[in-house]
Amino acid sequence: MYDLVVVGSGLFGLTVAESAARLWDARVAIVEKRSHIGGNAYSEVDPETGIEVHKYGAHIFHTSNEEVWNYVRRFTDFNDYVHRVLTTIDGVVYPMPVNLGTINQFFGSAYSPDQARALVREQSSEIPAGRAEDNFETMGISTVGRPLFEAFFRDYTAKQWQTNPTDLPAGIARRLPVRYTYDSRYFSDPHQGLPLDGYAAWFERMVDSPNIDVFLNSDFFDEESSEKATLTRDSTAGRVPVVYTGPVDRFFDYEYGRLGWRTIDFEVERPHTGDYQGCAVMNYGDLTVPETRTIEFRHFNPEREYPGDRTIVYREFSRSATADDDPYYPINTPSDQKMMHDYRRAMADTPGVLFGGRLGTYRYFDMDATIAGALDMVRDDLASLLGSNL
Ligand code: FDA
């Protein structure tokens, strides 16, 4: 009775479902394990403070992709928030990513762009040619020089990965951001902001179609419940087109092993003040501070009336995910890459099921890249599958 089953209601699943329902009048079922749609970009209003919080970590929309920008504005407008990040190192606050302001504050200097470039070039020359690729630390020093690397990148990254920097791969440091201007915007995309009436309202508009049915609290692998059993892997795969955006290893019953992920633990606090830290995101670069960053959500929406005596902050702590945790960032060790090689073969041998999104492909994507990937799937795969079938 459905033309398409979409597993997962994150931005990938929502974009596919919305497009299929609108373009081809397809009847679409969305199967979602959680109690809400929107995947990890979901947000809700904190009942105690009235402040919108991003339940699975801070999400700032930003893009240079005009097709994606035009697509998302069908469902929401954005405020004019411009993302800036600060970092506290050894009791001093600096702008991030490292820019001319950071460099001059750190060295107590007034270098011009050319002078700062020359300094970094000289400091990064301590790593002999050919040694940069050894590990994260050698690549980091050869990219930005030892003083900036040790202050701004080494310990923060070690906390994120819970791994000694000399044991991390060089690839992580290959593109450490350093700007030789005073531009402290975190993203340089032409479009950025937060959805004016929140992420949840944006996502609800995407499924507001008589062609789309959403089944919440429904696990695609749960064969127990007879009511939901019609929308499980065993009853749909091979019979009706399926777009699967859950974890790829789960789909194949972990046949080649479990892929490694990092997760984040959040500690929630509601301080009695109208402004706890003066910005949305404060990183903590020192190993002596266990959290990686603190998010104060009210700053994402300066246009809103929020209480003057109450705020809410999430402190983030990074660690490896266990089987029971929410998977956030792929770790991608050589053994993960080998597993993905096998899973990719298995995906190609599973007709009628298309794999997408960050969990379905084991890759980190920002929201705009997720939507772009879904629009590609709609054009490249679903158009022939659904466009001609209906
Ligand atoms: P997503 O994970 O959102 O959705 C997958 C859905 O599938 C989930 O709802 C899940 O419950 C469901 N599912 C899984 N297994 C299932 C099963 N067996 N049955 C039914 N449903 C199942 N991007 C950006 O542009 N700006 C930002 O600031 C950030 N910030 C950020 C912070 C953090 C901490 C993370 C981890 C990520 C970001 N991102 C981001 C990235 C952003 O979260 C990402 O692009 C989207 O969530 C990807 O959407 P997907 O649909 O691919 O997955």
Side-chain angles (χ1 to χ4, degrees):
M1 84 154 175
Y2 289 106
D3 303 307
L4 176 68
V5 173
V6 173
V7 183
S9 65
L11 271 167
F12 197 98
L14 289 178
T15 303
V16 165
E18 187 282 329
S19 302
R22 176 172 45 85
L23 293 173
W24 304 299
D25 220 13
R27 294 270 298 126
V28 184
I30 300 181
V31 183
E32 171 54 59
K33 197 164 87 166
R34 290 175 173 161
S35 60
H36 59 75
I37 61 169
N40 273 15
Y42 170 78
S43 73
E44 61 193 13
V45 173
D46 172 51
E48 279 187 49
T49 60
I51 296 170
E52 180 184 349
V53 293
H54 307 167
K55 188 170 175 187
Y56 305 96
H59 278 70
I60 301 101
F61 186 80
H62 61 100
T63 191
S64 307
N65 181 324
E66 292 302 324
E67 184 192 16
V68 169
W69 181 238
N70 290 330
Y71 179 74
V72 296
R73 280 183 312 141
R74 286 166 170 263
F75 314 104
T76 185
D77 288 324
F78 290 84
N79 70 5
D80 48 16
Y81 173 82
V82 174
H83 193 41
R84 294 181 205 276
V85 173
L86 294 139
T87 189
T88 302
I89 312 275
D90 209 8
V92 179
V93 175
Y94 299 90
M96 287 294 275
V98 172
N99 60 68
L100 199 49
T102 322
I103 293 172
N104 278 329
Q105 191 182 341
F106 182 71
F107 291 111
S109 56
Y111 293 127
S112 69
D114 284 346
Q115 288 169 323
R117 257 193 213 95
L119 175 79
V120 168
R121 205 177 307 121
E122 185 209 319
Q123 292 180 339
S124 53
S125 65
E126 79 166 82
I127 301 292
R131 287 274 324 280
E133 295 285 342
D134 284 4
N135 57 56
F136 170 68
E137 182 161 296
T138 49
M139 178 57 81
I141 294 171
S142 77
T143 308
V144 300
R146 185 179 290 277
L148 292 175
F149 174 76
E150 289 186 348
F152 295 102
F153 300 107
R154 185 188 62 187
D155 295 350
Y156 185 78
T157 310
K159 274 201 289 191
Q160 273 186 317
W161 290 87
Q162 298 196 300
T163 305
N164 192 318
T166 50
D167 295 331
L168 285 169
I172 303 177
R174 202 161 284 131
R175 286 190 299 146
L176 289 185
V178 175
R179 289 187 195 146
Y180 296 98
T181 68
Y182 288 98
D183 181 0
S184 63
R185 286 172 309 159
Y186 199 76
F187 302 119
S188 43
D189 298 302
H191 309 297
Q192 62 177 297
L194 276 291
L196 260 190
D197 49 4
Y199 282 100
W202 164 7
F203 301 149
E204 286 301 335
R205 283 183 206 115
M206 292 185 80
V207 295
D208 183 16
S209 156
N211 283 344
I212 300 178
D213 290 333
V214 179
F215 297 87
L216 297 176
N217 304 305
S218 302
D219 189 325
F220 191 54
F221 302 99
D222 177 7
E223 305 289 340
E224 301 286 290
S225 152
S226 57
E227 195 190 336
K228 291 170 190 159
T230 50
L231 292 171
T232 57
R233 176 187 56 187
D234 295 349
S235 53
T236 58
R239 301 197 176 119
V240 54
V242 172
V243 171
Y244 176 80
T245 73
V248 55
D249 49 1
R250 174 68 189 91
F251 186 92
F252 295 106
D253 296 323
Y254 307 107
E255 187 177 344
Y256 304 109
R258 277 180 190 269
L259 293 161
W261 291 87
R262 281 189 303 124
T263 192
I264 297 175
D265 294 319
F266 299 104
E267 233 176 67
V268 181
E269 243 180 75
R270 294 179 184 81
H272 287 270
T273 170
D275 196 350
Y276 176 74
Q277 61 183 17
C279 63
V281 178
M282 176 66 77
N283 290 357
Y284 289 92
D286 299 323
L287 281 179
T288 49
V289 182
E291 70 205 74
T292 48
R293 55 182 198 167
T294 299
I295 314 296
E296 186 176 11
F297 289 99
R298 66 184 304 132
H299 293 290
F300 286 133
N301 295 94
E303 76 284 3
R304 290 186 188 161
E305 291 275 329
Y306 278 150
D309 58 352
R310 208 74 205 278
T311 193
I312 179 164
V313 298
Y314 278 23
R315 298 185 197 287
E316 294 188 359
F317 302 83
S318 183
R319 65 174 168 81
S320 284
T322 66
D324 298 328
D325 291 315
D326 275 332
Y328 277 5
Y329 299 103
I331 296 179
N332 228 347
T333 60
S335 119
D336 291 322
Q337 289 165 17
K338 155 92 184 56
M339 277 185 250
M340 266 318 286
H341 179 78
D342 294 333
Y343 282 126
R344 254 183 242 111
R345 255 198 352 248
M347 290 186 222
D349 288 344
T350 309
V353 180
L354 298 168
F355 295 81
R358 59 182 202 101
L359 300 169
T361 58
Y362 190 61
R363 287 184 60 192
Y364 177 86
F365 297 111
D366 271 334
M367 289 184 277
D368 63 333
T370 300
I371 295 166
L375 292 174
D376 283 346
M377 181 184 280
V378 168
R379 234 183 333 253
D380 299 344
D381 304 299
L382 290 178
S384 54
L385 210 60
L386 293 178
S388 56
N389 275 0
L390 301 176

